């Protein structure tokens, strides 16, 4: 979905943090990406089983649900941090373009 919205490398941005490194225990960024997406997909695979085929669901216990909630909290916080960084960069680029644009009244009248 992120790629369709034009947000490239979303999982890399999510996983490029000390918090995710600590959570996964993985020092290499791409290994963290693989680990986090596997954990993320595991939650949604279980969700699909519960919704579409409850007899096949594994019946997660309280600890597994707590782990999933922690994963969601971490991913949401990292998505927020990544988007804030992206938006800040876009605002800065916009401000630079405005500062470089001609400001004479004649230019405004031509628009």
């Amino acid at each position: 979905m992120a790629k369709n919205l034009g947000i490239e490398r979303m999982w890399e941005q999510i996983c490029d943090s000390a918090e995710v490194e600590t959570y996964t225990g993985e020092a290499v960024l791409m290994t963290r990406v693989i680990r986090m997406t596997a954990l993320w997909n595991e939650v949604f695979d279980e969700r699909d089983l519960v919704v579409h085929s409850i007899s096949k669901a594994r019946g997660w216990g309280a600890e597994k649900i707590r782990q999933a909630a922690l994963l969601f909290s971490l991913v949401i916080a990292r998505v927020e941090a990544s988007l804030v960084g992206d938006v800040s960069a876009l605002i800065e680029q916009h401000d630079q373009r405005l500062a470089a644009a001609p400001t004479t009244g004649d230019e405004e009248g031509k628009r």
Side-chain angles (χ1 to χ4, degrees), residues 50-91:
V50 169
V51 171
H52 301 293
S53 197
I54 194 148
S55 63
K56 295 180 183 175
R58 292 178 284 277
W60 285 6
E63 183 55 33
K64 186 71 173 175
I65 292 170
R66 271 193 288 279
Q67 290 172 3
L70 177 60
L71 173 68
F72 275 57
S73 295
L74 180 57
V75 169
I76 290 167
R78 291 298 307 144
V79 167
E80 176 188 16
S82 295
L83 291 176
V84 165
D86 290 344
V87 168
S88 296
L90 289 172
I91 290 171

Side-chain angles (χ1 to χ4, degrees), residues 2-16:
K3 287 179 188 175
N4 291 337
L5 294 172
I7 304 170
E8 298 295 324
R9 300 179 14 243
M10 177 63 89
W11 278 106
E12 287 178 39
Q13 291 176 336
I14 290 169
C15 295
D16 191 13

